[in-house]
Amino acid sequence: MSTKRINVMISEEMDNKLNEYGLRYGISKSAIVGFVVGQWMDGVEKTNNAMFGATGKEGFFADMMKTIIAGEKNDKI
């Protein structure tokens, strides 16, 4: 696994907060931001999988659409 560096612009206030957190927990600003971004991305993926499934044809949304379509077919009978 390789790592990549990204540049992100943050406010001076956010920089100060990250410095404080880094000192408090003994880790770098980069490690804090990497952790937060990783947790956020994990949450987004879990939400997308629950709503749309891994293929986009599963999950809550697909089940809801199947129910709606089945209901429309029953109404026509």
Side-chain angles (χ1 to χ4, degrees):
M1 176 177 76
S2 66
T3 60
K4 302 290 180 186
R5 177 179 291 266
I6 61 170
N7 293 318
V8 179
M9 299 295 295
I10 59 173
S11 68
E12 187 175 343
E13 180 182 358
M14 181 62 68
D15 185 54
N16 291 336
K17 286 181 182 183
L18 288 170
N19 283 329
E20 289 173 17
Y21 293 147
L23 290 172
R24 184 181 309 158
Y25 298 110
I27 59 176
S28 68
K29 287 189 285 191
S30 181
I32 295 169
V33 173
F35 175 78
V36 170
V37 169
Q39 290 296 302
W40 173 75
M41 289 181 68
D42 188 51
V44 168
E45 288 179 5
K46 286 179 181 177
T47 300
N48 283 340
N49 283 338
M51 292 299 293
F52 305 107
T55 65
K57 297 178 181 180
E58 307 159 348
F60 173 77
F61 188 72
D63 290 342
M64 184 177 65
M65 292 305 293
K66 288 174 190 173
T67 302
I68 291 170
I69 292 168
E72 289 177 355
K73 288 180 181 177
N74 289 337
D75 288 345
K76 291 180 182 179
I77 296 177

